[in-house]
Amino acid sequence: MSLAALLGSSTDNSYLTVIEADGYAAQSPADLAWKTETEEIKKEQALVTATYWLDTLTYIGTKCDPKQPLKWPRSGVVCGDFNYGCSDFPKEIERCTFTVANTLLSDPGYINGGIP
């Protein structure tokens, strides 16, 4: 598997890189599955699966490029006092990607009803 998290490229398949996800894990005092997983490929698979799951959701605004494979980055997204444009990326999407990926490492059937 090849992880691509460049946001806006034609090969994107994740909203986070493993290094970025490692940063989220390092900030948590919790005993996370992410911290104990030693196989990078499993981390990549969890990030890609989490991203694909997040892309099943409906978001306001429009894709910045209709040809981009993922739903983010987007334009015309207003959340509170912030107006997201094509060069912005919500930290909430990053955190959610990490949270779902971490959960998938501890429970591979999390998304599909318990079927690994």
Side-chain angles (χ1 to χ4, degrees):
M1 167 177 284
S2 177
L3 186 76
L6 304 174
L7 295 181
S9 86
S10 62
T11 60
D12 288 347
N13 62 3
S14 177
Y15 289 130
L16 283 178
T17 65
V18 171
I19 292 170
E20 290 167 330
D22 286 344
Y24 279 103
Q27 294 173 7
S28 175
D31 187 21
L32 302 175
W34 189 271
K35 292 178 182 179
T36 58
E37 181 56 60
T38 58
E39 293 184 52
E40 186 155 330
I41 187 72
K42 287 187 179 180
K43 289 182 174 183
E44 290 177 357
Q45 290 169 335
L47 288 170
V48 169
T49 301
T51 297
Y52 286 162
W53 182 80
L54 286 171
D55 264 14
T56 66
L57 302 176
T58 302
Y59 300 100
I60 60 174
T62 57
K63 287 182 173 185
C64 289
D65 180 347
K67 295 178 185 173
Q68 72 190 47
L70 301 178
K71 289 188 176 180
W72 288 91
R74 301 180 74 74
S75 63
V77 177
V78 178
C79 184
D81 293 333
F82 199 81
N83 186 2
Y84 290 97
C86 293
S87 61
D88 304 307
F89 191 74
K91 290 292 182 190
E92 294 81 3
I93 296 291
E94 288 183 357
R95 283 192 294 270
C96 191
T97 302
F98 172 75
T99 299
V100 173
N102 177 64
T103 302
L104 286 168
L105 287 175
S106 63
D107 180 6
Y110 171 70
I111 290 175
N112 57 7
I115 302 167

